[in-house]
Amino acid sequence: MSVLDSKVPKGPIKDKWTTYKDKINLVNPANKRLIDVIVVGTGLAGGSAAATLAELGYNVKAFAYQDSPRRAHSIAAQGGINAAKNYQGDGDSTYRLFYDTVKGGDYRSREANVYRLAEVSANIIDQCVAQGVPFARDYGGLLDNRSFGGVLVSRTFYAKGQTGQQLLLGAYSAMNRQIARGKIQMYNRHEMLDVVKVDGKARGIIARNLITGEIERHSAHAVVIASGGYGNVFFLSTNAMGSNVSASWKIHKKGAFFANPCYTQIHPTCIPRSGDYQSKLTLMSESLRNDGRIWVPKNMDDVLAIREGRKKPTDLSEDERDYYLERRYPAFGNLVPRDVASRAAKERCDAGYGVNATGEAVYLDFAAAIQRYGKEQAKIQGIANPSADKIYELGQKIVEAKYGNLFQMYEKIVDENPYETPMMIYPAVHYTMGGVWVDYNLMTTVPGLYCIGEANFSDHGANRLGASALMQGLADGYFVLPYTIGDYLSDDIRTGTIPTDTPEFDEAEKEVKDRIDFFINNKGTKSVDYFHKRLGKVMWDKVGMARNEKGLKEAMAEIKAIREEFWKEVSVPGGANEMNPELEKAGRVADFLELGELFAKDALTREESCGGHFREESAEEDGPQKGEAKRNDKDFAFVSAWEYKGEPADAVLHKEELEFKDIELKQRSYK
C-alpha cells in the first residue's frame, strides 16, 4: 500500500491556510482559458465549484444526472448552514467552531482541514447574501441564527426549513451566469460511468446520455468529483432514491483510496418507517430540536396503552414522561450531537419504550414551546390575563413561522397534526462520513482527480454536526478548490486540449459498453430492487448502529452471496439506446454491492465505538453480558467521547483535546 501524504502545511494550525495561499502556485487569467476542468455533480459542492472555476476563467464541463442542477439532493437540507460570525454575541469564534466540529466527530477528522473550514465559513454567508439567498432575519433586520446539536452557541443561518434549496438556487444562478457566457458547458441527464487516466493522471470521463443512451467521451486537464454520499447502500435512507456511490466507486477502482467507509451519519429526527413497501425515509430537520422536547413514557403500561390506542400521548402528565436527553445530558439537553441522540433513541426503543406499532419511535413534542412563545407574545402585545386558547393561538403562530413547512410535510405523510399531537421520530441513515480519501488540496491519490463535499472523507470524522454539510460543500466549492486546483493546473498551461481518440479512452469506453451489454442481455429472473433491498437489510441489521464481530463476518459473507446471485439473476428490461431507469439502477446497485463488503470489512477492523455506531460483544464472545456494548477506557463505549460509563465525558476526554495534534486516527484506505 502506498504511503498517504496529506500535504498538510507546517506551522501553527491557525496560520496553515493563510501561509499556504501565500506560497501556492497560481494560473494567470490569460492561461486559465487554456485549461479544461470536468465537474461531476452539481449540488452545492459541484455547483459552487463549477461557477467559481468558470468565473476565474477556466473552461468547465459540468455533469448532472438530474434534468437540472436545481434537482440536486442538496435541496433536501432543511435546517441551516453553520458559520462562525458570532452575530448573537454568545461567545462563538473560529476556534469554537473548529473545536465543536472535531469533538463532535469523535476526533476522527483531519484537524487542519477543519480549521480551514471554520476559517472560511464566515465568507460563505457573505457570498450567499450577495447572491440573494433569503436568510431569516431578526426584528432589527440582521441575519438570524439558531442552534443545532453538539454546540453551546447559535451559529446556524437558515431560510425557514428550506435552507438547502435556497443555497442551491444561489449556486445555480451563479452557474447560469457562466453558462450564458459559455464558460460552463452543462450536461444535464448525463451520468459518469468511468474516469479515464492518461500517464497516471485523470484526463477525462466516460459518460452516458441518459435520454438517448449514447456513450460519450469528455476530456479535461483535471476532474472534480462532487457526487454526494452513499447512504443508499442501506436502501432505506433519507437520501433521494437516485443518490448513489457510482462516481466515487469508479474512481476508487481506478486507484483513488477510500477512507473510513463504515462511518455513517445516523440522523435522529426522521419519520419512522411504516412498512416494507417504502423506498426511502423522510428527514425532519434537526432544527426542530431547538424547540421540540424528546421523550418516551416512563411506565411500560403507558407505552402499551399508547400502542394499542387506549391512550394518547397528550394524556400523560409531565411526571409520566421520560425526557431522557434532558435527564442524561443536562448541559446540552435535546441539542446533543446527532450520534448521541440517535443511539439514545435506539436504546430506549430496544428497551421496549418505542411508542408506535413497530416499537421504533419516540416523541418530539412542541407543546412547551407553543406555551412559552404564546405567553411571550401576549406580554409583547399587552394582552392581560390571556386565555389558554389565546396563548396557544399566539404560540402556534411563532412555531409556524419558524417551522411551518416542516410541520406541513409531517402532517401530509403521517396524517396527524403535530401542533396538537407530538411528532414521532426515529433514527435513520443520512449523511456518509467516510468517502474518497483526499489530501489538503482536496486531491485524491490519483493526480488531477479531486473530490469535494460529501463525497470525500476529511472534515467530519465519525459524526457530522448538524448544519455543517452545507458549510463544507460551499467552502470546498467557493473558497478551497479554486485555490488548490491552480497549484496542480499551473503545470498544464502548455499541454493543450486533451485528445479523446487514444487507447486509454478506447479501453474505458469498451469496459462501460461491455457492462451495459451484460445487463441488457442477461436472462435473469429478479429485479434490481430485489437485490438492493436484500443488501439494505443486511447493512442495517449487521453493519448499522450496533455491530459485532460475528455479525460483521456474517454480513461480508451474505453480501458476497447476494452479489454473486445478482450477476447471475438480475433482470434489466428495456434497451441500452434509450432512456432506461432500470439500467441506471443496475449499475448503481452493482457498485453498492461491492462497496457494502468494503464497508463491513472496515467496520470489522474497528473495535471502537464512535460516531453513529457502537461495537458490541458478539454473543459467543466473553463480555460483561452477552450482546452488551463494550465499556472500557479505550472505547468510549456506547457514546464515545460524549458519554463515559453513563456519565458526561468532559472530564475523561482525550488528552489531545486542547492540543489538536493533527491525528488521523487509523484512517484505513483500501485499493
Side-chain angles (χ1 to χ4, degrees):
M1 182 184 291
S2 303
V3 176
L4 296 177
D5 180 6
S6 64
K7 296 186 173 65
V8 172
K10 299 189 184 307
I13 196 166
K14 65 184 179 60
D15 299 329
K16 288 182 188 292
W17 180 231
T18 301
T19 304
Y20 178 84
K21 287 189 296 181
D22 288 345
K23 298 179 179 179
I24 199 170
N25 289 325
L26 300 176
V27 181
N28 85 38
N31 287 331
K32 287 190 177 83
R33 56 178 172 260
L34 305 175
I35 292 177
D36 304 319
V37 180
I38 285 172
V39 179
V40 178
T42 53
L44 281 180
S48 59
T52 308
L53 292 171
E55 179 76 34
L56 289 171
Y58 295 106
N59 307 309
V60 177
K61 289 183 176 182
F63 292 81
Y65 71 73
Q66 300 94 344
D67 55 4
S68 165
R70 290 174 300 169
R71 304 266 299 198
H73 191 54
S74 299
I75 66 165
Q78 299 163 340
I81 176 171
N82 288 330
K85 278 190 169 291
N86 195 30
Y87 280 176
Q88 305 297 308
D90 56 0
D92 201 10
S93 65
T94 296
Y95 180 83
R96 186 171 287 277
L97 175 52
F98 159 69
Y99 172 93
D100 289 342
T101 303
V102 174
K103 181 184 178 186
D106 283 347
Y107 304 91
R108 269 69 177 177
S109 315
R110 182 188 288 146
E111 284 87 346
N113 289 55
V114 177
Y115 198 91
R116 174 175 67 186
L117 177 66
E119 240 182 305
V120 305
S121 65
N123 299 339
I124 298 170
I125 304 304
D126 297 338
Q127 171 99 0
C128 294
V129 169
Q131 290 173 340
V133 174
F135 287 120
R137 294 179 181 269
D138 64 17
Y139 180 77
L142 299 175
L143 297 183
D144 198 12
N145 290 123
R146 54 191 177 200
S147 193
F148 261 59
V151 304
L152 296 174
V153 298
S154 294
R155 67 161 66 100
T156 304
F157 295 78
Y158 64 98
K160 213 171 185 180
Q162 308 167 349
T163 314
Q165 181 177 9
Q166 297 302 330
L167 290 169
L168 187 63
L169 288 173
Y172 178 61
S173 65
M175 283 184 71
N176 269 347
R177 181 168 175 270
Q178 300 305 323
I179 291 170
R181 294 178 61 220
K183 295 302 293 181
I184 293 180
Q185 286 180 263
M186 188 68 228
Y187 293 88
N188 294 325
R189 302 296 288 141
H190 278 67
E191 183 169 25
M192 170 191 153
L193 295 181
D194 210 350
V195 66
V196 180
K197 289 166 59 177
V198 180
D199 296 329
K201 298 179 178 180
R203 291 302 199 188
I205 66 170
I206 305 296
R208 180 173 180 266
N209 182 322
L210 298 180
I211 303 296
T212 66
E214 182 182 357
I215 304 300
E216 302 175 2
R217 304 180 182 194
H218 297 275
S219 68
H221 298 90
V223 176
V224 180
I225 303 299
S227 54
Y230 48 85
N232 278 352
V233 70
F234 288 88
F235 186 69
L236 282 181
S237 79
T238 65
N239 291 189
M241 290 177 65
S243 297
N244 62 84
V245 75
S246 286
S248 297
W249 196 249
K250 300 305 185 192
I251 68 171
H252 172 58
K253 294 181 79 170
K254 286 292 179 75
F257 283 17
F258 237 80
N260 306 339
C262 77
Y263 289 160
T264 311
Q265 173 99 91
I266 309 295
H267 199 294
T269 319
C270 297
I271 297 178
R273 67 180 181 88
S274 54
D276 294 336
Y277 53 82
Q278 278 182 264
S279 56
K280 77 177 298 293
L281 298 170
T282 303
L283 170 70
M284 301 303 295
S285 170
E286 182 181 319
S287 62
L288 295 171
R289 291 200 275 143
N290 273 285
D291 288 312
R293 302 177 72 195
I294 295 173
W295 63 276
V296 292
K298 283 183 180 177
N299 303 313
M300 191 59 70
D301 289 344
D302 290 333
V303 173
L304 296 175
I306 287 172
R307 286 188 195 170
E308 294 166 7
R310 292 183 282 113
K311 277 189 177 180
K312 297 178 180 178
T314 49
D315 294 335
L316 270 61
S317 68
E318 287 291 294
D319 291 341
E320 295 171 317
R321 303 178 179 196
D322 178 13
Y323 294 97
Y324 56 87
L325 291 178
E326 297 172 28
R327 170 171 57 83
R328 294 182 185 179
Y329 312 100
F332 287 82
N334 295 293
L335 285 172
V336 293
R338 290 176 175 180
D339 58 333
V340 179
S342 294
R343 282 191 301 256
K346 186 175 189 299
E347 184 275 328
R348 287 290 77 198
C349 291
D350 287 350
Y353 290 89
V355 294
N356 68 349
T358 66
E360 295 179 345
V362 299
Y363 286 125
L364 180 63
D365 195 334
F366 286 83
I370 290 173
Q371 288 294 310
R372 184 176 72 251
Y373 286 128
K375 290 174 182 177
E376 181 182 278
Q377 286 299 305
K379 281 191 174 296
I380 290 171
Q381 296 178 26
I383 302 173
N385 299 316
S387 66
D389 287 345
K390 188 63 179 178
I391 289 173
Y392 181 87
E393 176 192 335
L394 294 171
Q396 180 177 333
K397 284 182 179 177
I398 298 298
V399 171
E400 188 174 353
K402 296 179 76 170
Y403 312 112
N405 61 309
L406 299 171
F407 278 57
Q408 184 181 43
M409 184 171 71
Y410 180 89
E411 186 169 4
K412 284 186 176 181
I413 292 171
V414 181
D415 196 26
E416 286 184 356
N417 183 341
Y419 294 104
E420 299 172 359
T421 302
M423 287 184 180
M424 289 187 293
I425 57 169
Y426 192 71
V429 171
H430 185 46
Y431 193 92
T432 45
M433 303 296 98
V436 178
W437 186 92
V438 293
D439 62 18
Y440 191 71
N441 298 319
L442 304 180
M443 190 191 290
T444 70
T445 47
V446 175
L449 184 57
Y450 292 79
C451 190
I452 61 176
E454 186 179 359
N456 77 31
F457 89 108
S458 63
D459 289 28
H460 306 297
N463 172 63
R464 176 175 64 77
L465 293 181
S468 287
L470 306 185
M471 176 176 65
Q472 186 211 346
L474 292 180
D476 286 356
Y478 281 138
F479 299 112
V480 179
L481 181 75
Y483 273 105
T484 62
I485 200 170
D487 190 45
Y488 172 80
L489 292 174
S490 61
D491 291 333
D492 268 323
I493 59 176
R494 294 291 177 265
T495 301
T497 302
I498 307 295
T500 58
D501 56 347
T502 62
E504 292 87 353
F505 276 90
D506 292 342
E507 181 182 350
E509 183 176 320
K510 183 179 184 302
E511 288 178 13
V512 166
K513 286 184 173 178
D514 287 348
R515 188 169 187 169
I516 289 171
D517 289 343
F518 169 83
F519 285 132
I520 295 299
N521 296 318
N522 195 50
K523 304 302 180 187
T525 59
K526 297 181 174 69
S527 70
V528 175
D529 279 347
Y530 167 82
F531 294 100
H532 197 178
K533 287 179 182 178
R534 284 178 59 194
L535 171 66
K537 181 166 175 50
V538 173
M539 293 297 295
W540 180 251
D541 289 348
K542 297 181 179 180
V543 202
M545 292 180 70
R547 344 198 241 218
N548 59 56
E549 182 180 354
K550 177 175 179 287
L552 290 166
K553 288 179 176 177
E554 289 173 353
M556 289 169 64
E558 289 171 25
I559 293 167
K560 183 178 179 182
I562 295 169
R563 187 172 68 248
E564 289 172 353
E565 185 182 349
F566 171 85
W567 288 106
K568 293 175 184 174
E569 290 295 329
V570 70
S571 173
V572 178
N577 301 317
E578 61 184 12
M579 188 171 180
N580 189 342
E582 284 299 306
L583 177 60
E584 298 168 35
K585 270 198 294 187
R588 296 167 188 169
V589 171
D591 295 332
F592 279 136
L593 284 164
E594 293 181 3
L595 167 70
E597 193 170 343
L598 176 66
F599 196 121
K601 182 178 182 180
D602 184 39
L604 181 63
T605 64
R606 299 174 185 274
E607 295 185 358
E608 63 194 3
S609 293
C610 65
H613 316 284
F614 60 94
R615 184 67 176 254
E616 304 170 314
E617 298 282 1
S618 296
E620 73 274 13
E621 294 172 351
D622 292 330
Q625 289 182 4
K626 290 184 177 180
E628 183 179 333
K630 291 182 182 179
R631 296 181 182 275
N632 58 47
D633 290 349
K634 292 180 181 177
D635 286 82
F636 287 126
F638 188 63
V639 285
S640 61
W642 280 85
E643 181 184 51
Y644 181 69
K645 295 184 179 177
E647 299 296 329
D650 287 343
V652 293
L653 291 177
H654 300 279
K655 291 178 182 177
E656 292 86 359
E657 177 183 71
L658 298 178
E659 298 175 21
F660 296 111
K661 293 182 176 178
D662 280 329
I663 44 171
E664 292 181 36
L665 292 181
K666 295 183 182 177
Q667 283 151 357
R668 305 178 193 279
S669 302
Y670 301 92
K671 250 189 170 179

